[in-house]
Structure formats: structure tokens, C-alpha cells
Amino acid sequence: MNERQNDLEPEQADIRLRDVTMAATWSVSSAKVGNGVLQLLDGDATTCWQSDGSTPHIIYATFPHRVLVKEVQILVNHEADESYTPAKVRLRVYTGLEGINIGDVVELNQPRGWIGLPIDFVVGVFTIQIGIFANHQNGRDTHVRGVRVLAARHNAMRHGFTPLSTVLRPPFDDRAARTRARA
């Protein structure tokens, strides 16, 4: 987990990454009137998406084509939001019809600023799901002040990113066994 506690402004971007946030269609599981997707994406740290309902609170981003996602970031501010601040977050990506959980549930301790939810490999995704499973002080609704999706540039594979195919190999995929048998 990459917690940046010092500032509500995003850090200097990695040159291997590009911001693809606005290429997606965004939706949320619930929202209070006046605190919906528009406030989540407006770039203003003083506004926020506020959920309206029971957990988990979900943010969805759907892309029109596969995007090589490397990191998802959320902007939170415990000082301003207290019990509305996410405490347990999990990232899930969809490469097709089925989702893949990316890592364990991330526990946040009074976060302030852009919180990175990194992906340890490059994966072409159609949909991203950010699940908020608990808030600080057992709060019911949640506040998220911003969200960003960072994707690998087209030449990123040459610069140290690991493709998904080398990390996840389904049990039914015997390509590696056939390759070893030919050698």
C-alpha cells in the first residue's frame, strides 16, 4: 500500500504511467443527493462522493476497451471526514466476465491524501471495482474525495512491468508444459 499522508495533491506522475480516469464510465453503489459521481471526479478536494446505505460501498469504472491498469488511487481525508473515512478497501478488476481480487483487504489508519492501491502486474481490464468494507469508528456511510486510474503506457512492458500472463496461469493452461516438452 502506498499512503501519501502529507498532501491532498497528487504526487508527480511516474513517466511509465498515464492517467486514464476520464476514459471510463463511472458509477457508485449509492449516493446522497448532491454527493455522487460528479463530485468524485470533479478534481476538487473539498467535495466528495458520499455513499447512502450499508456496506460494502462500491465504486465502478468501466472502460470501452481493455486498459493496462497499474494503480488505482483514492483521495481521502480523515481529518475532515472522521467516521466517514474508509478503513478497509479492496480492489477487484474484471478482464472479462469474471473478476480477480487484487491483493488482500487494505487497512487504512487515519489516511489523508492520495492512497495508492497498486497492482503488482499489468493487466488489461474492462472494469475496476473499488470496495469499501468498513469505515473508521464503525461509520455507516463513506466519503471519497477523488479517484484516479493510472495505466501503463504502450511501451511499459520494456520498462519493468510484469504482464498478467506470467503471474496468473490457469490450471487448465498447459502451454508451459507443451513448451517444456518440445525443448
XYZ file of all heavy atoms in Angstrom, residues 86-139:
418
model
N -12.892 5.790 4.759
C -12.712 4.349 4.557
C -11.605 3.786 5.452
O -10.560 4.404 5.621
C -12.316 4.237 3.087
C -12.849 5.474 2.450
C -12.756 6.534 3.498
N -11.859 2.596 6.000
C -10.861 1.916 6.826
C -10.397 0.612 6.200
O -9.268 0.195 6.398
C -11.419 1.643 8.225
N -11.279 -0.054 5.427
C -10.922 -1.310 4.756
C -11.381 -1.232 3.309
O -12.571 -1.059 3.025
C -11.573 -2.506 5.451
C -11.043 -2.751 6.843
C -11.651 -3.972 7.464
C -11.067 -4.182 8.860
N -11.617 -5.378 9.500
N -10.406 -1.377 2.391
C -10.653 -1.217 0.958
C -10.093 -2.422 0.218
O -9.030 -2.939 0.574
C -9.976 0.078 0.429
C -10.224 0.271 -1.047
C -10.446 1.286 1.219
N -10.781 -2.847 -0.830
C -10.280 -3.937 -1.665
C -10.543 -3.609 -3.126
O -11.606 -3.133 -3.487
C -10.942 -5.254 -1.329
C -10.333 -6.395 -2.152
C -10.830 -7.707 -1.701
N -9.827 -8.719 -1.968
C -9.905 -9.936 -1.532
N -10.912 -10.313 -0.773
N -8.987 -10.812 -1.833
N -9.546 -3.891 -3.948
C -9.624 -3.651 -5.374
C -9.925 -4.956 -6.094
O -9.365 -5.999 -5.762
C -8.283 -3.084 -5.855
C -8.184 -2.591 -7.272
C -9.153 -1.452 -7.522
C -6.766 -2.124 -7.550
N -10.824 -4.886 -7.069
C -11.182 -6.042 -7.895
C -11.208 -5.561 -9.334
O -11.706 -4.476 -9.616
C -12.537 -6.570 -7.460
C -12.982 -7.828 -8.144
C -14.295 -8.312 -7.486
N -14.781 -9.514 -8.099
C -14.451 -10.743 -7.736
N -13.614 -10.932 -6.752
N -14.944 -11.791 -8.351
N -10.636 -6.354 -10.241
C -10.642 -5.993 -11.660
C -11.333 -7.090 -12.456
O -11.323 -8.259 -12.057
C -9.217 -5.744 -12.207
C -8.565 -4.575 -11.500
C -8.351 -6.983 -12.112
N -11.926 -6.686 -13.553
C -12.610 -7.622 -14.447
C -11.940 -7.568 -15.815
O -11.924 -6.528 -16.462
C -14.094 -7.259 -14.578
C -14.866 -7.478 -13.312
C -14.842 -6.540 -12.280
C -15.611 -8.632 -13.132
C -15.548 -6.750 -11.109
C -16.329 -8.848 -11.957
C -16.287 -7.903 -10.960
O -16.992 -8.123 -9.801
N -11.381 -8.700 -16.214
C -10.742 -8.798 -17.523
C -11.726 -9.316 -18.555
O -11.443 -9.325 -19.732
C -9.524 -9.731 -17.459
O -9.970 -11.021 -17.031
C -8.479 -9.198 -16.491
N -12.846 -9.761 -18.110
C -13.928 -10.298 -18.933
C -15.145 -10.393 -18.058
O -15.488 -9.437 -17.364
N -15.768 -11.556 -18.005
C -16.963 -11.717 -17.197
C -16.670 -11.961 -15.726
O -17.490 -11.682 -14.868
C -17.808 -12.882 -17.738
C -18.370 -12.674 -19.133
C -19.102 -13.921 -19.600
C -19.289 -11.464 -19.168
N -15.489 -12.496 -15.406
C -15.175 -12.822 -14.016
C -14.159 -11.843 -13.459
O -13.277 -11.364 -14.158
C -14.644 -14.249 -13.921
C -15.686 -15.255 -14.356
C -15.440 -16.623 -13.764
O -14.697 -16.719 -12.786
O -16.005 -17.569 -14.311
N -14.293 -11.573 -12.155
C -13.399 -10.639 -11.501
C -12.238 -11.330 -10.832
O -12.285 -12.509 -10.502
N -11.158 -10.566 -10.635
C -9.969 -11.034 -9.944
C -9.741 -10.094 -8.773
O -9.627 -8.883 -8.960
C -8.729 -10.997 -10.865
C -8.945 -11.837 -12.116
C -7.483 -11.432 -10.106
C -7.875 -11.622 -13.178
N -9.686 -10.630 -7.549
C -9.345 -9.799 -6.400
C -7.867 -9.479 -6.474
O -7.042 -10.359 -6.678
C -9.649 -10.524 -5.081
C -11.128 -10.627 -4.826
O -11.884 -9.711 -5.127
N -11.547 -11.739 -4.270
N -7.538 -8.215 -6.315
C -6.152 -7.771 -6.379
C -5.669 -7.568 -4.949
O -5.973 -6.566 -4.318
C -6.019 -6.463 -7.179
C -6.589 -6.622 -8.576
C -4.575 -6.000 -7.210
C -5.888 -7.657 -9.426
N -4.963 -8.551 -4.433
C -4.418 -8.454 -3.086
C -5.470 -8.626 -2.015
O -6.628 -8.945 -2.271
N -5.037 -8.423 -0.787
C -5.912 -8.555 0.370
C -6.641 -7.242 0.610
O -6.368 -6.230 -0.037
C -5.080 -8.914 1.603
C -4.425 -10.275 1.466
O -5.066 -11.173 0.886
O -3.288 -10.427 1.938
N -7.533 -7.256 1.578
C -8.191 -6.028 2.005
C -7.111 -5.119 2.586
O -6.301 -5.536 3.412
C -9.286 -6.322 3.049
C -9.837 -5.032 3.628
C -10.400 -7.157 2.425
N -7.075 -3.873 2.125
C -6.100 -2.893 2.607
C -6.722 -2.152 3.777
O -7.835 -1.638 3.675
C -5.723 -1.904 1.480
C -4.789 -0.820 1.993
C -5.105 -2.635 0.309
N -6.011 -2.132 4.903
C -6.494 -1.411 6.077
C -5.817 -0.051 6.136
O -4.594 0.047 6.085
C -6.233 -2.230 7.340
C -7.022 -3.520 7.327
C -7.139 -4.164 8.691
O -7.067 -3.450 9.706
O -7.316 -5.390 8.708
N -6.625 0.996 6.225
C -6.143 2.365 6.268
C -6.274 2.896 7.686
O -7.318 2.740 8.313
C -6.944 3.241 5.303
C -7.018 2.750 3.853
C -7.923 3.662 3.038
C -5.630 2.690 3.247
N -5.216 3.544 8.179
C -5.218 4.084 9.532
C -5.189 5.609 9.466
O -4.146 6.200 9.240
C -4.025 3.546 10.319
C -4.039 3.990 11.757
O -5.062 4.434 12.269
N -2.895 3.884 12.414
N -6.333 6.223 9.633
C -6.499 7.674 9.587
C -5.786 8.291 8.376
O -4.939 9.178 8.516
C -6.011 8.308 10.886
C -6.777 7.820 12.089
C -6.335 8.474 13.376
O -5.382 9.242 13.421
N -7.042 8.171 14.453
N -6.125 7.852 7.182
C -5.417 8.331 5.985
C -5.771 9.763 5.619
O -6.871 10.249 5.900
C -5.914 7.366 4.906
C -7.299 7.028 5.354
C -7.218 6.948 6.859
N -4.826 10.426 4.998
C -5.041 11.774 4.472
C -4.240 11.888 3.190
O -3.024 11.738 3.202
C -4.581 12.834 5.449
C -4.828 14.243 4.946
C -4.412 15.290 5.969
N -4.782 16.613 5.552
C -4.047 17.376 4.734
N -2.902 16.924 4.282
N -4.452 18.576 4.388
N -4.920 12.099 2.087
C -4.242 12.277 0.814
C -4.584 11.172 -0.158
O -5.541 10.418 0.019
N -3.772 11.082 -1.204
C -3.972 10.073 -2.242
C -3.418 8.742 -1.753
O -2.251 8.637 -1.415
C -3.282 10.481 -3.539
C -4.003 11.586 -4.239
C -3.714 12.926 -4.174
C -5.142 11.452 -5.083
N -4.617 13.619 -4.930
C -5.499 12.750 -5.506
C -5.897 10.369 -5.523
C -6.582 12.983 -6.358
C -6.963 10.598 -6.375
C -7.306 11.895 -6.782
N -4.264 7.734 -1.734
C -3.882 6.400 -1.286
C -3.796 5.515 -2.519
O -4.777 5.351 -3.251
C -4.920 5.813 -0.306
C -5.164 6.772 0.866
C -4.490 4.434 0.167
C -3.931 7.117 1.664
N -2.620 4.966 -2.764
C -2.413 4.095 -3.911
C -2.820 2.669 -3.612
O -2.474 2.119 -2.572
N -3.582 2.091 -4.511
C -3.934 0.675 -4.461
C -3.231 0.032 -5.655
O -3.806 -0.101 -6.731
C -5.451 0.496 -4.544
C -6.268 1.250 -3.489
C -7.747 1.203 -3.819
C -5.997 0.683 -2.109
N -1.934 -0.309 -5.488
C -1.145 -0.770 -6.628
C -1.522 -2.178 -7.071
O -2.044 -2.978 -6.304
C 0.289 -0.741 -6.097
C 0.151 -0.904 -4.630
C -1.160 -0.279 -4.245
N -1.247 -2.425 -8.329
C -1.408 -3.752 -8.917
C -0.006 -4.231 -9.243
O 0.761 -3.522 -9.896
C -2.296 -3.680 -10.176
C -3.682 -3.150 -9.794
C -2.398 -5.044 -10.839
C -4.589 -2.890 -10.965
N 0.362 -5.406 -8.780
C 1.728 -5.894 -8.909
C 2.071 -6.421 -10.295
O 3.157 -6.926 -10.505
C 2.001 -6.986 -7.870
C 1.925 -6.442 -6.462
O 2.194 -5.245 -6.280
O 1.600 -7.212 -5.546
N 1.138 -6.335 -11.202
C 1.351 -6.782 -12.569
C 0.476 -5.950 -13.481
O -0.458 -5.301 -13.033
C 1.016 -8.276 -12.714
C -0.297 -8.645 -12.087
C -1.486 -8.486 -12.771
C -0.336 -9.135 -10.792
C -2.691 -8.795 -12.175
C -1.536 -9.464 -10.196
C -2.720 -9.295 -10.895
N 0.816 -5.925 -14.747
C -0.001 -5.193 -15.711
C -1.105 -6.117 -16.168
O -0.855 -7.257 -16.546
C 0.853 -4.738 -16.921
C -0.018 -4.060 -17.954
C 1.948 -3.801 -16.455
N -2.332 -5.631 -16.112
C -3.468 -6.450 -16.510
C -4.417 -5.598 -17.367
O -4.691 -4.456 -17.032
C -4.185 -7.042 -15.274
C -4.641 -5.958 -14.328
C -5.351 -7.899 -15.686
N -4.855 -6.165 -18.472
C -5.825 -5.488 -19.318
C -7.212 -5.667 -18.736
O -7.711 -6.787 -18.656
N -7.825 -4.578 -18.282
C -9.124 -4.678 -17.624
C -10.191 -3.887 -18.363
O -9.899 -2.893 -19.026
C -9.075 -4.213 -16.149
C -8.057 -4.995 -15.362
C -8.816 -2.741 -16.048
N -11.426 -4.367 -18.237
C -12.588 -3.634 -18.722
C -13.247 -2.862 -17.580
O -13.744 -1.768 -17.776
C -13.620 -4.589 -19.329
C -13.238 -5.102 -20.681
C -12.901 -6.433 -20.853
C -13.204 -4.274 -21.778
C -12.547 -6.924 -22.097
C -12.852 -4.741 -23.027
C -12.525 -6.073 -23.191
N -13.275 -3.469 -16.386
C -13.970 -2.862 -15.246
C -13.114 -2.964 -13.991
O -12.466 -3.975 -13.759
C -15.331 -3.560 -14.998
O -16.119 -3.451 -16.180
C -16.081 -2.926 -13.840
N -13.159 -1.895 -13.204
C -12.498 -1.843 -11.904
C -13.583 -1.660 -10.858
O -14.520 -0.884 -11.052
C -11.516 -0.657 -11.825
C -10.381 -0.856 -12.824
C -10.988 -0.475 -10.409
C -9.523 0.366 -12.999
N -13.441 -2.368 -9.754
C -14.375 -2.239 -8.638
C -13.563 -1.914 -7.393
O -12.677 -2.675 -7.015
C -15.141 -3.538 -8.456
C -16.060 -3.568 -7.273
C -16.716 -4.930 -7.122
O -17.107 -5.549 -8.088
N -16.817 -5.393 -5.897
N -13.850 -0.787 -6.762
C -13.218 -0.409 -5.507
C -14.261 -0.651 -4.418
O -15.293 0.020 -4.390
C -12.788 1.075 -5.497
C -11.871 1.373 -6.690
C -12.120 1.431 -4.174
C -11.659 2.858 -6.941
N -14.004 -1.624 -3.558
C -14.940 -1.960 -2.489
C -14.485 -1.395 -1.165
O -13.335 -1.582 -0.775
N -15.383 -0.682 -0.485
C -15.096 -0.149 0.844
C -15.929 -0.967 1.817
O -17.159 -0.913 1.787
C -15.420 1.357 0.921
C -14.543 2.095 -0.096
C -15.217 1.883 2.340
C -14.951 3.497 -0.379
N -15.248 -1.740 2.654
C -15.914 -2.707 3.516
C -16.117 -2.231 4.939
O -16.907 -2.817 5.676
C -15.139 -4.029 3.500
C -15.145 -4.652 2.137
C -14.100 -4.439 1.248
C -16.220 -5.409 1.722
C -14.126 -4.997 -0.021
C -16.256 -5.971 0.455
C -15.211 -5.761 -0.414
N -15.401 -1.184 5.351
C -15.572 -0.635 6.695
C -15.047 0.793 6.699
O -14.186 1.167 5.898
C -14.820 -1.476 7.724
N -15.579 1.586 7.625
C -15.144 2.963 7.819
C -14.548 3.104 9.214
O -14.759 2.254 10.076
C -16.324 3.927 7.675
C -16.866 3.936 6.271
O -16.120 4.019 5.309
N -18.173 3.834 6.140
N -13.837 4.184 9.432
C -13.294 4.459 10.763
C -14.447 4.638 11.750
O -15.536 5.087 11.383
C -12.411 5.708 10.727
C -11.060 5.435 10.147
N -10.840 5.236 8.806
C -9.857 5.289 10.754
C -9.566 4.990 8.600
N -8.947 5.015 9.762
N -14.218 4.284 12.984
C -15.179 4.437 14.077
C -16.524 3.775 13.747
O -17.573 4.234 14.183
C -15.390 5.921 14.403
C -14.116 6.652 14.745
C -14.291 8.162 14.736
O -15.379 8.686 14.572
N -13.184 8.861 14.908
N -16.480 2.712 12.936
C -17.691 1.985 12.529
C -18.733 2.867 11.855
O -19.931 2.649 11.995
C -18.312 1.247 13.724
C -17.396 0.168 14.228
O -16.787 -0.553 13.443
N -17.262 0.068 15.539
N -18.263 3.883 11.118
C -19.182 4.765 10.405
C -19.995 4.003 9.366
O -19.540 3.004 8.807
